[in-house]
Amino acid sequence: MIDTSAGVTDAHTRPLDGPLVSASILSADFARLGEQCVEVLEAGADTLHVDVMDGHFVPNLSMGPAICAGVRRAVDAFIDVHLMVTDPLAYLEPFAAAGANHCTGHVEVLDMPLEFRNRCHALGMSAGIAINPKTPLEALDGVAEAFDLVLVMSVHPGFSGQSFIPEVLEKTRAISARQSSTQRLEMDGGVSPANAEAVRAAGCDVLVAASAIFGGDDYAGTIAALRGGGRD
Ligand code: DX5
Ligand code: ZN
């Protein structure tokens, strides 16, 4: 196991020092998941993104707390959990117990977003709110400012390997303009070196990528290209 803890355990609340790259393990080789986590962290990924799908909010099943706990045993990195589930509140305690540092729930299903935020914080995690490509910006009115992070979906959630939807950049710029200097803005879906500059220019400081990283051979080169020139 490598020590990847320096500077990343508080990744979503520390002062910003350049864009973060979050490697989504959805495209990892699950037969050797622990090794793959080590490899992308050694290649420069700042955090690991764990996509949780319930087969109801999205038409796919993926990972639960046991996988998160396995990742936690393998590495000491910041784990960013993306809850694509109909009842995100129900999963906060299991994922906190499994070693998650952060949970994001979707605005489309969170009836009590502040309770979600408060429970994340009470469990020692930072809190995010996600918005789907077709959901209007207004859904975040009076909500987004309470969260440590806003996640903009740039594909329809459910699968890795889809094409980036450029229309979400306008919504992203509007969200960025309203954020405080301590809030993070994360883009998720189809993010690659080809569109990373546009994503960062729209205000994002956390770039999630699954297939762009795990689908190639040069993890370090891809991660550096996603991050851009701000940091080695
Ligand atoms: C999609 C997930 C994403 C996905 C990204 O529903 O939320 O995190 O893993 O995969 P890529 O980067 O391949 O689009
Ligand atoms: Zn995700």
PDB file of all heavy atoms in Angstrom, residues 24-27 49-53 58 63 82 84 106 151 153-164 187-192 208-213, ligand 1:
ATOM      1  N   SER A  24     -12.506   7.886 -11.761  1.00  0.00           N
ATOM      2  CA  SER A  24     -13.702   7.082 -11.513  1.00  0.00           C
ATOM      3  C   SER A  24     -13.372   5.618 -11.748  1.00  0.00           C
ATOM      4  O   SER A  24     -13.034   5.212 -12.865  1.00  0.00           O
ATOM      5  CB  SER A  24     -14.837   7.507 -12.448  1.00  0.00           C
ATOM      6  OG  SER A  24     -15.840   6.506 -12.449  1.00  0.00           O
ATOM      7  N   ILE A  25     -13.508   4.821 -10.692  1.00  0.00           N
ATOM      8  CA  ILE A  25     -13.118   3.413 -10.797  1.00  0.00           C
ATOM      9  C   ILE A  25     -14.138   2.574 -11.563  1.00  0.00           C
ATOM     10  O   ILE A  25     -13.943   1.375 -11.736  1.00  0.00           O
ATOM     11  CB  ILE A  25     -12.837   2.793  -9.408  1.00  0.00           C
ATOM     12  CG1 ILE A  25     -14.100   2.807  -8.533  1.00  0.00           C
ATOM     13  CG2 ILE A  25     -11.678   3.504  -8.737  1.00  0.00           C
ATOM     14  CD1 ILE A  25     -13.931   2.021  -7.234  1.00  0.00           C
ATOM     15  N   LEU A  26     -15.193   3.210 -12.060  1.00  0.00           N
ATOM     16  CA  LEU A  26     -16.197   2.458 -12.821  1.00  0.00           C
ATOM     17  C   LEU A  26     -15.580   1.774 -14.049  1.00  0.00           C
ATOM     18  O   LEU A  26     -16.075   0.742 -14.492  1.00  0.00           O
ATOM     19  CB  LEU A  26     -17.333   3.396 -13.246  1.00  0.00           C
ATOM     20  CG  LEU A  26     -18.601   2.774 -13.796  1.00  0.00           C
ATOM     21  CD1 LEU A  26     -19.242   1.823 -12.790  1.00  0.00           C
ATOM     22  CD2 LEU A  26     -19.615   3.845 -14.212  1.00  0.00           C
ATOM     23  N   SER A  27     -14.514   2.353 -14.593  1.00  0.00           N
ATOM     24  CA  SER A  27     -13.862   1.739 -15.764  1.00  0.00           C
ATOM     25  C   SER A  27     -12.600   0.970 -15.389  1.00  0.00           C
ATOM     26  O   SER A  27     -11.837   0.576 -16.277  1.00  0.00           O
ATOM     27  CB  SER A  27     -13.501   2.809 -16.805  1.00  0.00           C
ATOM     28  OG  SER A  27     -14.667   3.296 -17.431  1.00  0.00           O
ATOM     29  N   HIS A  49     -13.159   8.365  -7.417  1.00  0.00           N
ATOM     30  CA  HIS A  49     -14.596   8.600  -7.556  1.00  0.00           C
ATOM     31  C   HIS A  49     -15.290   7.241  -7.633  1.00  0.00           C
ATOM     32  O   HIS A  49     -14.975   6.427  -8.507  1.00  0.00           O
ATOM     33  CB  HIS A  49     -14.808   9.407  -8.832  1.00  0.00           C
ATOM     34  CG  HIS A  49     -16.204   9.832  -9.121  1.00  0.00           C
ATOM     35  ND1 HIS A  49     -16.753  10.998  -8.629  1.00  0.00           N
ATOM     36  CD2 HIS A  49     -17.171   9.262  -9.891  1.00  0.00           C
ATOM     37  CE1 HIS A  49     -17.990  11.131  -9.095  1.00  0.00           C
ATOM     38  NE2 HIS A  49     -18.281  10.086  -9.850  1.00  0.00           N
ATOM     39  N   VAL A  50     -16.215   7.008  -6.705  1.00  0.00           N
ATOM     40  CA  VAL A  50     -16.914   5.721  -6.622  1.00  0.00           C
ATOM     41  C   VAL A  50     -18.370   5.938  -7.033  1.00  0.00           C
ATOM     42  O   VAL A  50     -19.119   6.647  -6.343  1.00  0.00           O
ATOM     43  CB  VAL A  50     -16.815   5.147  -5.189  1.00  0.00           C
ATOM     44  CG1 VAL A  50     -17.663   3.886  -5.053  1.00  0.00           C
ATOM     45  CG2 VAL A  50     -15.357   4.842  -4.834  1.00  0.00           C
ATOM     46  N   ASP A  51     -18.762   5.353  -8.146  1.00  0.00           N
ATOM     47  CA  ASP A  51     -20.112   5.531  -8.703  1.00  0.00           C
ATOM     48  C   ASP A  51     -21.045   4.457  -8.185  1.00  0.00           C
ATOM     49  O   ASP A  51     -20.865   3.268  -8.480  1.00  0.00           O
ATOM     50  CB  ASP A  51     -20.045   5.465 -10.231  1.00  0.00           C
ATOM     51  CG  ASP A  51     -19.467   6.733 -10.826  1.00  0.00           C
ATOM     52  OD1 ASP A  51     -19.949   7.824 -10.480  1.00  0.00           O
ATOM     53  OD2 ASP A  51     -18.538   6.623 -11.647  1.00  0.00           O
ATOM     54  N   VAL A  52     -22.063   4.892  -7.461  1.00  0.00           N
ATOM     55  CA  VAL A  52     -23.010   3.964  -6.840  1.00  0.00           C
ATOM     56  C   VAL A  52     -24.347   4.063  -7.575  1.00  0.00           C
ATOM     57  O   VAL A  52     -24.954   5.133  -7.642  1.00  0.00           O
ATOM     58  CB  VAL A  52     -23.185   4.319  -5.344  1.00  0.00           C
ATOM     59  CG1 VAL A  52     -24.204   3.402  -4.687  1.00  0.00           C
ATOM     60  CG2 VAL A  52     -21.845   4.269  -4.625  1.00  0.00           C
ATOM     61  N   MET A  53     -24.791   2.958  -8.144  1.00  0.00           N
ATOM     62  CA  MET A  53     -26.023   2.947  -8.947  1.00  0.00           C
ATOM     63  C   MET A  53     -26.956   1.865  -8.437  1.00  0.00           C
ATOM     64  O   MET A  53     -26.513   0.739  -8.163  1.00  0.00           O
ATOM     65  CB  MET A  53     -25.680   2.659 -10.412  1.00  0.00           C
ATOM     66  CG  MET A  53     -24.663   3.622 -10.986  1.00  0.00           C
ATOM     67  SD  MET A  53     -24.266   3.201 -12.692  1.00  0.00           S
ATOM     68  CE  MET A  53     -22.943   4.359 -13.025  1.00  0.00           C
ATOM     69  N   VAL A  58     -30.974   5.127 -11.912  1.00  0.00           N
ATOM     70  CA  VAL A  58     -30.316   4.956 -13.213  1.00  0.00           C
ATOM     71  C   VAL A  58     -30.458   3.489 -13.637  1.00  0.00           C
ATOM     72  O   VAL A  58     -30.590   2.613 -12.783  1.00  0.00           O
ATOM     73  CB  VAL A  58     -28.815   5.335 -13.162  1.00  0.00           C
ATOM     74  CG1 VAL A  58     -28.622   6.814 -12.947  1.00  0.00           C
ATOM     75  CG2 VAL A  58     -28.090   4.536 -12.084  1.00  0.00           C
ATOM     76  N   MET A  63     -21.700  -0.368  -7.652  1.00  0.00           N
ATOM     77  CA  MET A  63     -20.958  -0.745  -6.437  1.00  0.00           C
ATOM     78  C   MET A  63     -21.703  -0.327  -5.182  1.00  0.00           C
ATOM     79  O   MET A  63     -22.392   0.686  -5.169  1.00  0.00           O
ATOM     80  CB  MET A  63     -19.611  -0.026  -6.423  1.00  0.00           C
ATOM     81  CG  MET A  63     -18.789  -0.256  -7.650  1.00  0.00           C
ATOM     82  SD  MET A  63     -17.450   0.953  -7.715  1.00  0.00           S
ATOM     83  CE  MET A  63     -17.638   1.542  -9.379  1.00  0.00           C
ATOM     84  N   HIS A  82     -20.332   9.027  -5.425  1.00  0.00           N
ATOM     85  CA  HIS A  82     -21.403   9.634  -6.222  1.00  0.00           C
ATOM     86  C   HIS A  82     -22.609   8.704  -6.161  1.00  0.00           C
ATOM     87  O   HIS A  82     -22.602   7.626  -6.750  1.00  0.00           O
ATOM     88  CB  HIS A  82     -20.890   9.809  -7.659  1.00  0.00           C
ATOM     89  CG  HIS A  82     -21.888  10.393  -8.595  1.00  0.00           C
ATOM     90  ND1 HIS A  82     -21.679  10.436  -9.963  1.00  0.00           N
ATOM     91  CD2 HIS A  82     -23.101  10.974  -8.394  1.00  0.00           C
ATOM     92  CE1 HIS A  82     -22.722  11.006 -10.547  1.00  0.00           C
ATOM     93  NE2 HIS A  82     -23.607  11.337  -9.620  1.00  0.00           N
ATOM     94  N   MET A  84     -25.890   7.670  -7.250  1.00  0.00           N
ATOM     95  CA  MET A  84     -26.939   7.716  -8.274  1.00  0.00           C
ATOM     96  C   MET A  84     -28.020   6.726  -7.856  1.00  0.00           C
ATOM     97  O   MET A  84     -28.217   5.664  -8.473  1.00  0.00           O
ATOM     98  CB  MET A  84     -26.330   7.369  -9.644  1.00  0.00           C
ATOM     99  CG  MET A  84     -25.469   8.496 -10.195  1.00  0.00           C
ATOM    100  SD  MET A  84     -24.390   7.960 -11.527  1.00  0.00           S
ATOM    101  CE  MET A  84     -23.065   7.242 -10.566  1.00  0.00           C
ATOM    102  N   HIS A 106     -28.201  13.392  -5.654  1.00  0.00           N
ATOM    103  CA  HIS A 106     -28.783  14.119  -6.792  1.00  0.00           C
ATOM    104  C   HIS A 106     -29.940  15.010  -6.362  1.00  0.00           C
ATOM    105  O   HIS A 106     -30.832  14.579  -5.622  1.00  0.00           O
ATOM    106  CB  HIS A 106     -29.255  13.124  -7.856  1.00  0.00           C
ATOM    107  CG  HIS A 106     -28.183  12.806  -8.847  1.00  0.00           C
ATOM    108  ND1 HIS A 106     -28.129  13.346 -10.096  1.00  0.00           N
ATOM    109  CD2 HIS A 106     -27.070  12.040  -8.728  1.00  0.00           C
ATOM    110  CE1 HIS A 106     -27.045  12.908 -10.729  1.00  0.00           C
ATOM    111  NE2 HIS A 106     -26.394  12.112  -9.916  1.00  0.00           N
ATOM    112  N   LEU A 151     -21.888  18.955  -8.394  1.00  0.00           N
ATOM    113  CA  LEU A 151     -21.455  18.054  -9.476  1.00  0.00           C
ATOM    114  C   LEU A 151     -22.394  18.252 -10.665  1.00  0.00           C
ATOM    115  O   LEU A 151     -23.611  18.072 -10.539  1.00  0.00           O
ATOM    116  CB  LEU A 151     -21.492  16.597  -9.000  1.00  0.00           C
ATOM    117  CG  LEU A 151     -20.981  15.509  -9.953  1.00  0.00           C
ATOM    118  CD1 LEU A 151     -20.635  14.248  -9.164  1.00  0.00           C
ATOM    119  CD2 LEU A 151     -21.988  15.163 -11.037  1.00  0.00           C
ATOM    120  N   MET A 153     -23.514  16.831 -14.127  1.00  0.00           N
ATOM    121  CA  MET A 153     -23.427  15.647 -15.001  1.00  0.00           C
ATOM    122  C   MET A 153     -23.349  16.112 -16.448  1.00  0.00           C
ATOM    123  O   MET A 153     -24.212  16.864 -16.920  1.00  0.00           O
ATOM    124  CB  MET A 153     -24.661  14.753 -14.833  1.00  0.00           C
ATOM    125  CG  MET A 153     -24.717  13.924 -13.566  1.00  0.00           C
ATOM    126  SD  MET A 153     -23.309  12.845 -13.233  1.00  0.00           S
ATOM    127  CE  MET A 153     -23.155  11.917 -14.755  1.00  0.00           C
ATOM    128  N   SER A 154     -22.338  15.618 -17.145  1.00  0.00           N
ATOM    129  CA  SER A 154     -22.167  15.959 -18.555  1.00  0.00           C
ATOM    130  C   SER A 154     -22.443  14.757 -19.459  1.00  0.00           C
ATOM    131  O   SER A 154     -22.124  14.769 -20.644  1.00  0.00           O
ATOM    132  CB  SER A 154     -20.762  16.523 -18.799  1.00  0.00           C
ATOM    133  OG  SER A 154     -19.793  15.846 -18.027  1.00  0.00           O
ATOM    134  N   VAL A 155     -23.058  13.724 -18.871  1.00  0.00           N
ATOM    135  CA  VAL A 155     -23.710  12.638 -19.612  1.00  0.00           C
ATOM    136  C   VAL A 155     -24.967  12.295 -18.813  1.00  0.00           C
ATOM    137  O   VAL A 155     -25.103  12.709 -17.655  1.00  0.00           O
ATOM    138  CB  VAL A 155     -22.827  11.363 -19.738  1.00  0.00           C
ATOM    139  CG1 VAL A 155     -21.546  11.646 -20.518  1.00  0.00           C
ATOM    140  CG2 VAL A 155     -22.531  10.760 -18.376  1.00  0.00           C
ATOM    141  N   HIS A 156     -25.864  11.523 -19.408  1.00  0.00           N
ATOM    142  CA  HIS A 156     -26.995  11.011 -18.639  1.00  0.00           C
ATOM    143  C   HIS A 156     -26.448   9.880 -17.772  1.00  0.00           C
ATOM    144  O   HIS A 156     -25.828   8.942 -18.293  1.00  0.00           O
ATOM    145  CB  HIS A 156     -28.109  10.548 -19.575  1.00  0.00           C
ATOM    146  CG  HIS A 156     -28.597  11.661 -20.472  1.00  0.00           C
ATOM    147  ND1 HIS A 156     -29.241  12.768 -19.975  1.00  0.00           N
ATOM    148  CD2 HIS A 156     -28.471  11.852 -21.804  1.00  0.00           C
ATOM    149  CE1 HIS A 156     -29.520  13.602 -20.967  1.00  0.00           C
ATOM    150  NE2 HIS A 156     -29.060  13.075 -22.088  1.00  0.00           N
ATOM    151  N   PRO A 157     -26.631   9.973 -16.455  1.00  0.00           N
ATOM    152  CA  PRO A 157     -25.904   9.056 -15.573  1.00  0.00           C
ATOM    153  C   PRO A 157     -26.301   7.595 -15.778  1.00  0.00           C
ATOM    154  O   PRO A 157     -27.415   7.289 -16.166  1.00  0.00           O
ATOM    155  CB  PRO A 157     -26.284   9.547 -14.173  1.00  0.00           C
ATOM    156  CG  PRO A 157     -27.559  10.294 -14.346  1.00  0.00           C
ATOM    157  CD  PRO A 157     -27.513  10.883 -15.714  1.00  0.00           C
ATOM    158  N   GLY A 158     -25.339   6.724 -15.507  1.00  0.00           N
ATOM    159  CA  GLY A 158     -25.617   5.292 -15.573  1.00  0.00           C
ATOM    160  C   GLY A 158     -24.472   4.468 -16.129  1.00  0.00           C
ATOM    161  O   GLY A 158     -24.339   3.296 -15.778  1.00  0.00           O
ATOM    162  N   PHE A 159     -23.669   5.067 -16.998  1.00  0.00           N
ATOM    163  CA  PHE A 159     -22.621   4.281 -17.661  1.00  0.00           C
ATOM    164  C   PHE A 159     -21.400   5.154 -17.917  1.00  0.00           C
ATOM    165  O   PHE A 159     -21.546   6.361 -18.179  1.00  0.00           O
ATOM    166  CB  PHE A 159     -23.120   3.737 -19.011  1.00  0.00           C
ATOM    167  CG  PHE A 159     -24.317   2.841 -18.862  1.00  0.00           C
ATOM    168  CD1 PHE A 159     -25.604   3.375 -18.916  1.00  0.00           C
ATOM    169  CD2 PHE A 159     -24.160   1.479 -18.638  1.00  0.00           C
ATOM    170  CE1 PHE A 159     -26.721   2.564 -18.760  1.00  0.00           C
ATOM    171  CE2 PHE A 159     -25.277   0.659 -18.485  1.00  0.00           C
ATOM    172  CZ  PHE A 159     -26.557   1.193 -18.535  1.00  0.00           C
ATOM    173  N   SER A 160     -20.236   4.526 -17.871  1.00  0.00           N
ATOM    174  CA  SER A 160     -19.032   5.226 -18.323  1.00  0.00           C
ATOM    175  C   SER A 160     -18.924   5.062 -19.834  1.00  0.00           C
ATOM    176  O   SER A 160     -19.649   4.279 -20.441  1.00  0.00           O
ATOM    177  CB  SER A 160     -17.793   4.683 -17.609  1.00  0.00           C
ATOM    178  OG  SER A 160     -17.655   3.308 -17.879  1.00  0.00           O
ATOM    179  N   GLY A 161     -18.038   5.843 -20.431  1.00  0.00           N
ATOM    180  CA  GLY A 161     -17.770   5.704 -21.859  1.00  0.00           C
ATOM    181  C   GLY A 161     -18.731   6.431 -22.779  1.00  0.00           C
ATOM    182  O   GLY A 161     -18.701   6.232 -23.987  1.00  0.00           O
ATOM    183  N   GLN A 162     -19.583   7.305 -22.239  1.00  0.00           N
ATOM    184  CA  GLN A 162     -20.510   8.066 -23.082  1.00  0.00           C
ATOM    185  C   GLN A 162     -19.837   9.370 -23.548  1.00  0.00           C
ATOM    186  O   GLN A 162     -18.826   9.805 -22.996  1.00  0.00           O
ATOM    187  CB  GLN A 162     -21.771   8.409 -22.302  1.00  0.00           C
ATOM    188  CG  GLN A 162     -22.533   7.215 -21.747  1.00  0.00           C
ATOM    189  CD  GLN A 162     -23.809   7.673 -21.037  1.00  0.00           C
ATOM    190  OE1 GLN A 162     -24.797   8.030 -21.652  1.00  0.00           O
ATOM    191  NE2 GLN A 162     -23.775   7.649 -19.708  1.00  0.00           N
ATOM    192  N   SER A 163     -20.472  10.007 -24.552  1.00  0.00           N
ATOM    193  CA  SER A 163     -19.917  11.259 -25.071  1.00  0.00           C
ATOM    194  C   SER A 163     -20.335  12.456 -24.228  1.00  0.00           C
ATOM    195  O   SER A 163     -21.492  12.546 -23.790  1.00  0.00           O
ATOM    196  CB  SER A 163     -20.400  11.495 -26.509  1.00  0.00           C
ATOM    197  OG  SER A 163     -19.907  10.474 -27.332  1.00  0.00           O
ATOM    198  N   PHE A 164     -19.417  13.359 -24.043  1.00  0.00           N
ATOM    199  CA  PHE A 164     -19.639  14.611 -23.322  1.00  0.00           C
ATOM    200  C   PHE A 164     -20.746  15.428 -23.992  1.00  0.00           C
ATOM    201  O   PHE A 164     -20.782  15.543 -25.218  1.00  0.00           O
ATOM    202  CB  PHE A 164     -18.320  15.398 -23.334  1.00  0.00           C
ATOM    203  CG  PHE A 164     -18.332  16.671 -22.560  1.00  0.00           C
ATOM    204  CD1 PHE A 164     -18.173  16.667 -21.180  1.00  0.00           C
ATOM    205  CD2 PHE A 164     -18.467  17.887 -23.214  1.00  0.00           C
ATOM    206  CE1 PHE A 164     -18.166  17.855 -20.461  1.00  0.00           C
ATOM    207  CE2 PHE A 164     -18.461  19.078 -22.497  1.00  0.00           C
ATOM    208  CZ  PHE A 164     -18.307  19.059 -21.126  1.00  0.00           C
ATOM    209  N   MET A 187     -17.143  18.247 -12.671  1.00  0.00           N
ATOM    210  CA  MET A 187     -17.774  17.795 -13.918  1.00  0.00           C
ATOM    211  C   MET A 187     -17.569  16.301 -14.044  1.00  0.00           C
ATOM    212  O   MET A 187     -16.474  15.785 -13.798  1.00  0.00           O
ATOM    213  CB  MET A 187     -17.145  18.512 -15.115  1.00  0.00           C
ATOM    214  CG  MET A 187     -17.849  18.241 -16.436  1.00  0.00           C
ATOM    215  SD  MET A 187     -19.444  19.095 -16.541  1.00  0.00           S
ATOM    216  CE  MET A 187     -18.936  20.685 -17.184  1.00  0.00           C
ATOM    217  N   ASP A 188     -18.633  15.597 -14.472  1.00  0.00           N
ATOM    218  CA  ASP A 188     -18.598  14.134 -14.487  1.00  0.00           C
ATOM    219  C   ASP A 188     -19.335  13.613 -15.709  1.00  0.00           C
ATOM    220  O   ASP A 188     -20.550  13.807 -15.837  1.00  0.00           O
ATOM    221  CB  ASP A 188     -19.255  13.623 -13.195  1.00  0.00           C
ATOM    222  CG  ASP A 188     -19.189  12.108 -13.058  1.00  0.00           C
ATOM    223  OD1 ASP A 188     -18.468  11.457 -13.830  1.00  0.00           O
ATOM    224  OD2 ASP A 188     -19.871  11.590 -12.152  1.00  0.00           O
ATOM    225  N   GLY A 189     -18.586  12.926 -16.580  1.00  0.00           N
ATOM    226  CA  GLY A 189     -19.201  12.282 -17.731  1.00  0.00           C
ATOM    227  C   GLY A 189     -18.567  12.706 -19.043  1.00  0.00           C
ATOM    228  O   GLY A 189     -18.687  13.865 -19.435  1.00  0.00           O
ATOM    229  N   GLY A 190     -17.854  11.784 -19.677  1.00  0.00           N
ATOM    230  CA  GLY A 190     -17.260  12.086 -20.972  1.00  0.00           C
ATOM    231  C   GLY A 190     -16.123  13.083 -20.914  1.00  0.00           C
ATOM    232  O   GLY A 190     -15.736  13.637 -21.948  1.00  0.00           O
ATOM    233  N   VAL A 191     -15.586  13.320 -19.717  1.00  0.00           N
ATOM    234  CA  VAL A 191     -14.484  14.282 -19.590  1.00  0.00           C
ATOM    235  C   VAL A 191     -13.202  13.614 -20.096  1.00  0.00           C
ATOM    236  O   VAL A 191     -12.894  12.471 -19.738  1.00  0.00           O
ATOM    237  CB  VAL A 191     -14.325  14.745 -18.124  1.00  0.00           C
ATOM    238  CG1 VAL A 191     -13.119  15.659 -17.978  1.00  0.00           C
ATOM    239  CG2 VAL A 191     -15.604  15.449 -17.657  1.00  0.00           C
ATOM    240  N   SER A 192     -12.472  14.352 -20.933  1.00  0.00           N
ATOM    241  CA  SER A 192     -11.266  13.797 -21.556  1.00  0.00           C
ATOM    242  C   SER A 192     -10.296  14.940 -21.803  1.00  0.00           C
ATOM    243  O   SER A 192     -10.665  16.121 -21.689  1.00  0.00           O
ATOM    244  CB  SER A 192     -11.625  13.132 -22.883  1.00  0.00           C
ATOM    245  OG  SER A 192     -11.893  14.127 -23.851  1.00  0.00           O
ATOM    246  N   VAL A 208     -13.790  14.601 -13.174  1.00  0.00           N
ATOM    247  CA  VAL A 208     -13.928  13.147 -13.017  1.00  0.00           C
ATOM    248  C   VAL A 208     -13.698  12.490 -14.378  1.00  0.00           C
ATOM    249  O   VAL A 208     -14.218  12.970 -15.384  1.00  0.00           O
ATOM    250  CB  VAL A 208     -15.341  12.781 -12.518  1.00  0.00           C
ATOM    251  CG1 VAL A 208     -15.517  11.259 -12.452  1.00  0.00           C
ATOM    252  CG2 VAL A 208     -15.619  13.425 -11.178  1.00  0.00           C
ATOM    253  N   ALA A 209     -12.961  11.397 -14.383  1.00  0.00           N
ATOM    254  CA  ALA A 209     -12.813  10.657 -15.641  1.00  0.00           C
ATOM    255  C   ALA A 209     -12.655   9.178 -15.337  1.00  0.00           C
ATOM    256  O   ALA A 209     -11.881   8.796 -14.452  1.00  0.00           O
ATOM    257  CB  ALA A 209     -11.618  11.165 -16.440  1.00  0.00           C
ATOM    258  N   ALA A 210     -13.380   8.380 -16.077  1.00  0.00           N
ATOM    259  CA  ALA A 210     -13.269   6.925 -15.979  1.00  0.00           C
ATOM    260  C   ALA A 210     -12.586   6.387 -17.228  1.00  0.00           C
ATOM    261  O   ALA A 210     -11.413   6.030 -17.209  1.00  0.00           O
ATOM    262  CB  ALA A 210     -14.645   6.294 -15.794  1.00  0.00           C
ATOM    263  N   SER A 211     -13.321   6.363 -18.355  1.00  0.00           N
ATOM    264  CA  SER A 211     -12.778   5.729 -19.561  1.00  0.00           C
ATOM    265  C   SER A 211     -11.564   6.470 -20.108  1.00  0.00           C
ATOM    266  O   SER A 211     -10.659   5.837 -20.657  1.00  0.00           O
ATOM    267  CB  SER A 211     -13.869   5.600 -20.630  1.00  0.00           C
ATOM    268  OG  SER A 211     -14.487   6.840 -20.864  1.00  0.00           O
ATOM    269  N   ALA A 212     -11.528   7.802 -19.957  1.00  0.00           N
ATOM    270  CA  ALA A 212     -10.365   8.532 -20.495  1.00  0.00           C
ATOM    271  C   ALA A 212      -9.085   8.084 -19.805  1.00  0.00           C
ATOM    272  O   ALA A 212      -8.022   8.015 -20.429  1.00  0.00           O
ATOM    273  CB  ALA A 212     -10.561  10.040 -20.321  1.00  0.00           C
ATOM    274  N   ILE A 213      -9.168   7.752 -18.508  1.00  0.00           N
ATOM    275  CA  ILE A 213      -7.974   7.317 -17.775  1.00  0.00           C
ATOM    276  C   ILE A 213      -7.764   5.820 -17.967  1.00  0.00           C
ATOM    277  O   ILE A 213      -6.741   5.387 -18.494  1.00  0.00           O
ATOM    278  CB  ILE A 213      -8.097   7.657 -16.273  1.00  0.00           C
ATOM    279  CG1 ILE A 213      -8.166   9.183 -16.075  1.00  0.00           C
ATOM    280  CG2 ILE A 213      -6.921   7.051 -15.488  1.00  0.00           C
ATOM    281  CD1 ILE A 213      -8.426   9.617 -14.631  1.00  0.00           C
TER     282      ILE A 213
HETATM  283  C1  DX5 B   1     -21.680   8.115 -15.021  1.00  0.00           C
HETATM  284  C2  DX5 B   1     -20.805   8.201 -13.808  1.00  0.00           C
HETATM  285  C3  DX5 B   1     -19.453   8.710 -14.153  1.00  0.00           C
HETATM  286  C4  DX5 B   1     -18.715   7.785 -15.075  1.00  0.00           C
HETATM  287  C5  DX5 B   1     -17.797   8.573 -15.919  1.00  0.00           C
HETATM  288  O1  DX5 B   1     -22.985   7.870 -14.683  1.00  0.00           O
HETATM  289  O2  DX5 B   1     -21.338   9.092 -12.849  1.00  0.00           O
HETATM  290  O3  DX5 B   1     -18.675   8.985 -12.993  1.00  0.00           O
HETATM  291  O4  DX5 B   1     -17.969   6.819 -14.375  1.00  0.00           O
HETATM  292  O5  DX5 B   1     -17.303   7.774 -16.927  1.00  0.00           O
HETATM  293  P1  DX5 B   1     -16.610   8.410 -18.201  1.00  0.00           P
HETATM  294  O6  DX5 B   1     -15.515   9.315 -17.698  1.00  0.00           O
HETATM  295  O7  DX5 B   1     -16.109   7.242 -18.989  1.00  0.00           O
HETATM  296  O8  DX5 B   1     -17.678   9.186 -18.921  1.00  0.00           O
END
